[in-house]
Amino acid sequence: MATVSVRDARKNFGSTPILHGVNVEIGDGEFVVLVGPSGCGKSTLLRMIAGLENISGGEIAIGGRVVNTVPPKDRDIAMVFQNYALYPHMTVRENMAFSMKLAKAPREVMEEEVQRAAKILGLDALLDRYPRQLSGGQRQRVAMGRAIVRHPQVFLFDEPLSNLDAKLRVQMRSEIRELQQRLATTTIYVTHDQIEAMTMADQIVVMNAGRIEQAGAPLALYDRPANTFVAGFIGSPAMNLVPGEISDGGFRAQGGALLPLPPATPANVATYGIRPEHLVLAEDGIEARLVVVEPTGSETQVAMRIAETPLVGAFRERITGRPGETIRVKPDLSLVHLFGADGRRL
Amino acid sequence: MSTAAASTAWTKVRQQPSALARLFDNKAFLIVVCLLPAVGLLMTFLTYPLGLGVWLAFTDQTIGRPGVWIGIENFEFLFEDPIFWSAVFYSVFYTAVATVGKFALGLWLALLLNQHLPMKSLLRAIILLPWIVPTVLSAIAFWWIYDPQFSIISWALMEMGLRETPVDFINSPWSARWSLIAANIWRGIPFVAISLLAGLQTISPSLYEAALLDGASPWQRFRHITFPMLMPILAIVMTFSIIFTFTDFQLVYSITRGGPVNSTHLMATLAFQRGIPGGQLGEGAAIAVAMIPFLVFATLFSYFALARRKWQQGESND
């Protein structure tokens, strides 16, 4: 177990900068999720921590030791790859024992470690199978087993669930989380799925275009997004971010809607943010025209227009209206997010 | 009404398929028609010459005189013939040494080309050149390279002061044997290198990364990842290479014609030598037929070596 510090880490591929000086502090035993859209540099950062990419600038320390020039095998880390990277010509047992075999560990120790990991992951019955004979979820477990047997200081996961179907993904999500809590090993987990990030992380690091947009606890990011990027990225369905300006005693959105403002609003608001679940049905609300109604059972998601401004709402109530009919909604003023012209939170 | 009319029209069409159409609807007929061209070509250009060759091996036919069945007399004669045994020995030796050389160098080249090199595709194209050039052309080039008087290698060595006299490449038995093997290796490397390169490129880079994290040294990555993953394609390429090398004719015949004193005869060149210029068709055919057991052995080798390994089996369950 160890802390991980990333200080002003930079990465260039040729003359193209990929990471523009990233700072992350990861505490001992913490589960940190790097999340962001494709190409934001999150996987590159993970691979730099693993030692699979060299570091163009800044430094990375694991357990207080700067590892910039330490080869991957000496960094005391274990990584689970997106495609699992299981050795196809080795059985599950051989896959898990490979690192120990290379380190010339005694046979009994290898067998003991493999059995222990297999027991934790429920792979006991599959040890003599080849990867081809396993299902996606089982392969995923073998990949984790290969990491566990090494007793690393840090686990690295590179989008480990993206090859699984939706149901299995939810199941493996909690399995990984449970495993991490049991082993209490510092874990860095890369994903583009913000729901994975929200449900698994102690700390989320939201990245975009080679920079960190915001880092913090999942609910802190949800409650107080630092900018429009994080606001739009965290939460599902995504927050309504409506451009416009203050006038007529409210916020005049593009498209014509006049939205109410919380008290003591600064004057330079450029974007009005309200999460779909923070719009409420109210008799004294603003009239909105239904466009699409999507009942999910527990809630109803509604695409609507106020004047010509499109908004999405998510209501606990069951809405039976048809497209073209109107409902009355209003934003919960204590949960409105306001952003300036530079996209930062006001 | 309209439905009724449509259905009558439909029935009409169905009632009157032409005789030809009915014939082509006949499955047995169709199978015969479709197979005929392929079977015809195979019979004419494969089965007939092979059968004729095998038959000739059991006759005493010479050019210009029809032979009679003499049983295994040709083989009995060959069994006593030291030149035949020398050809058998050199065929095996030539195949074994050239295969080892081609695969050692070809694998090394493939591993090099699999790295990130500048102008990689140009290099790959250049590598293929020896294979593209017609064999006879490269044989003539080697003939000059090995020429007793004008050899460029001799010239270079003498210019550098490393030798006083030209090198004797193809005028004494063992140097001729080694020289021909060198030429065959030169010609065979591209096929091996490009095939193995294709195999190397199917290996997922993340396997190497995983091995790197598992602490594997470069040699261990080759030994535990590259080699086992390359094994299936290695086996098939090696089988082809062995068959092509064992049946080689052009290179040897163009450079030495089996000389000096029959020391570089392969079974194929000896079969031709005895059968066509020598006129002993029966005997030449017998030598050619004697190659069959060796080729069957090579094919069996491929059959067992190529048998899908256990890790390749099993349903893909993605």
Side-chain angles (χ1 to χ4, degrees):
Chain A
M1 276 159 281
T3 57
V4 177
S5 309
V6 179
R7 298 181 205 111
D8 195 32
R10 289 166 189 280
K11 177 72 188 171
N12 306 319
F13 284 120
S15 58
T16 319
I18 301 295
L19 288 179
H20 314 267
V22 167
N23 292 286
V24 189
E25 286 296 326
I26 297 166
D28 191 8
E30 213 178 6
F31 195 113
V32 172
V33 175
L34 305 179
V35 67
S38 301
C40 70
K42 57 191 189 300
S43 284
T44 307
L45 179 58
L46 191 79
R47 291 167 58 83
M48 283 159 73
I49 296 170
L52 298 173
E53 302 281 354
N54 55 26
I55 299 164
S56 308
E59 60 181 31
I60 292 175
I62 297 175
R65 175 176 65 135
V66 174
V67 294
N68 283 29
T69 56
V70 177
K73 68 184 168 81
D74 299 327
R75 293 191 182 194
D76 214 355
I77 44 136
M79 184 156 168
V80 174
F81 291 83
Q82 181 171 5
N83 60 3
Y84 319 137
L86 299 180
Y87 309 120
H89 55 292
M90 299 184 196
T91 60
V92 169
R93 175 181 279 111
E94 289 164 345
N95 261 286
M96 295 209 279
F98 188 57
S99 61
M100 292 183 283
K101 185 179 166 193
L102 292 178
K104 299 200 165 54
R107 191 169 288 275
E108 313 83 67
V109 175
M110 291 205 300
E111 189 56 28
E112 195 179 306
E113 285 293 337
V114 168
Q115 289 294 349
R116 192 184 65 95
K119 193 153 283 161
I120 293 174
L121 295 161
L123 290 169
D124 314 54
L126 305 173
L127 285 177
D128 292 314
R129 299 250 190 117
Y130 287 93
R132 275 194 75 128
Q133 298 164 307
L134 302 179
S135 70
Q138 290 166 339
R139 287 181 206 178
Q140 170 71 63
R141 284 201 197 95
V142 177
M144 294 200 301
R146 204 165 58 174
I148 291 176
V149 295
R150 299 181 49 199
H151 299 287
Q153 299 216 32
V154 182
F155 281 131
L156 305 175
F157 289 88
D158 188 4
E159 307 216 17
L161 303 184
S162 52
N163 287 351
L164 301 179
D165 63 56
K167 197 174 166 192
L168 202 52
R169 204 177 301 163
V170 174
Q171 186 194 331
M172 290 308 294
R173 202 158 79 190
S174 52
E175 273 186 36
I176 292 178
R177 186 66 176 128
E178 192 195 326
L179 182 72
Q180 195 268 340
Q181 280 161 356
R182 186 161 155 187
L183 302 174
T185 305
T186 312
T187 300
I188 307 175
Y189 185 107
V190 161
T191 180
H192 60 265
D193 181 349
Q194 57 93 16
I195 295 182
E196 259 173 47
M198 292 293 284
T199 50
M200 299 174 84
D202 293 321
Q203 188 191 170
I204 295 182
V205 176
V206 181
M207 295 183 65
N208 183 34
R211 290 193 172 80
I212 290 181
E213 296 283 350
Q214 191 176 3
L219 292 178
L221 264 59
Y222 178 86
D223 290 335
R224 289 187 64 78
N227 51 47
T228 50
F229 181 82
V230 177
F233 197 80
I234 299 289
S236 170
M239 185 190 285
N240 295 296
L241 290 166
V242 188
E245 57 186 14
I246 291 183
S247 73
D248 308 327
F251 183 83
R252 179 65 71 183
Q254 277 176 20
L258 184 65
L259 301 168
L261 285 165
T265 304
N268 55 341
V269 178
T271 306
Y272 185 101
I274 181 72
R275 294 194 183 276
E277 55 271 34
H278 298 152
L279 284 171
V280 290
L281 295 173
E283 285 302 320
D284 59 342
I286 315 160
E287 192 175 87
R289 192 159 32 84
L290 296 176
V291 179
V292 178
V293 178
E294 297 172 330
T296 63
S298 62
E299 61 173 29
T300 311
Q301 292 181 15
V302 174
M304 57 194 152
R305 283 173 191 275
I306 297 176
E308 285 308 309
T309 307
L311 283 176
V312 174
F315 306 102
R316 307 296 300 181
E317 296 85 355
R318 297 200 168 178
I319 293 175
T320 49
R322 305 175 130 279
E325 294 178 9
T326 55
I327 54 171
R328 288 189 165 273
V329 298
K330 68 174 184 186
D332 181 339
L333 286 186
S334 63
L335 296 170
V336 167
H337 307 267
L338 300 173
F339 302 96
D342 58 356
R344 287 176 192 278
R345 182 182 192 84
L346 294 173
Chain B
M1 266 320 279
S2 64
T3 346
S7 85
T8 348
W10 179 71
T11 332
K12 258 184 187 170
V13 173
R14 215 180 132 76
Q15 273 170 348
Q16 293 189 332
S18 68
L20 197 63
R22 258 181 297 150
L23 191 59
F24 276 100
D25 274 344
N26 184 323
K27 200 171 174 185
F29 175 78
L30 203 64
I31 288 173
V32 171
V33 166
C34 290
L35 275 179
L36 209 58
V39 171
L41 282 172
L42 287 177
M43 295 291 281
T44 315
F45 294 110
L46 226 83
T47 313
Y48 171 69
L50 184 68
L52 184 65
V54 172
W55 185 77
L56 281 177
F58 296 94
T59 69
D60 63 353
Q61 183 158 344
T62 56
I63 289 177
R65 181 175 65 80
V68 293
W69 178 267
I70 56 167
I72 58 164
E73 221 170 273
N74 280 330
F75 294 97
E76 284 170 354
F77 171 75
L78 287 175
F79 197 78
E80 305 289 327
D81 180 4
I83 295 174
F84 169 73
W85 284 112
S86 144
V88 171
F89 161 75
Y90 187 54
S91 291
V92 173
F93 182 76
Y94 181 81
T95 307
V97 177
T99 303
V100 169
K102 274 186 261 198
F103 276 79
L105 294 170
L107 182 58
W108 175 68
L109 206 58
L111 289 170
L112 273 185
L113 285 177
N114 201 31
Q115 309 290 321
H116 292 290
L117 294 171
M119 293 191 296
K120 191 152 72 174
S121 35
L122 183 71
L123 275 175
R124 283 182 196 168
I126 292 174
I127 297 287
L128 264 180
L129 274 179
W131 204 50
I132 296 167
V133 175
T135 312
V136 175
L137 214 65
S138 49
I140 290 171
F142 268 101
W143 191 35
W144 271 104
I145 291 172
Y146 292 155
D147 189 274
Q149 215 175 341
F150 303 108
S151 164
I152 186 167
I153 300 176
S154 300
W155 176 82
L157 289 175
M158 278 153 69
E159 284 293 304
M160 285 188 284
L162 293 174
R163 273 186 77 98
E164 305 266 300
T165 53
V167 187
D168 162 39
F169 284 108
I170 49 174
N171 289 311
S172 59
W174 275 104
S175 61
R177 285 174 181 151
W178 286 109
S179 301
L180 288 174
I181 288 172
N184 183 280
I185 290 175
W186 176 82
R187 224 190 118 64
I189 285 174
F191 174 67
V192 175
I194 296 292
S195 310
L196 294 188
L197 180 61
L200 284 176
Q201 288 178 334
T202 63
I203 303 176
S204 160
S206 62
L207 288 183
Y208 292 108
E209 292 178 343
L212 198 66
L213 293 178
D214 277 341
S217 64
W219 164 248
Q220 285 169 324
R221 288 201 291 278
F222 176 79
R223 158 85 183 70
H224 293 291
I225 312 285
T226 311
F227 192 70
M229 300 285 291
L230 206 56
M231 211 36 216
I233 194 154
L234 200 71
I236 196 166
V237 175
M238 188 172 279
T239 308
F240 274 109
S241 173
I242 288 175
I243 291 175
F244 289 144
T245 313
F246 194 81
T247 57
D248 194 11
F249 171 82
Q250 296 180 65
L251 202 61
V252 171
Y253 203 76
S254 312
I255 297 178
T256 65
R257 290 183 197 274
V261 266
N262 297 319
S263 60
T264 59
H265 262 309
L266 295 173
M267 291 173 82
T269 55
L270 188 65
F272 177 78
Q273 182 86 26
R274 295 270 168 91
I276 308 299
Q280 303 291 330
L281 284 178
E283 199 185 316
I287 297 172
V289 167
M291 292 169 78
I292 292 176
F294 293 97
L295 296 174
V296 168
F297 177 77
T299 315
L300 283 180
F301 166 81
S302 82
Y303 180 79
F304 288 111
L306 283 181
R308 276 153 68 87
R309 277 154 196 78
K310 210 173 160 202
W311 60 268
Q312 290 175 289
Q313 285 166 351
E315 57 284 19
S316 60
N317 213 343
D318 290 309

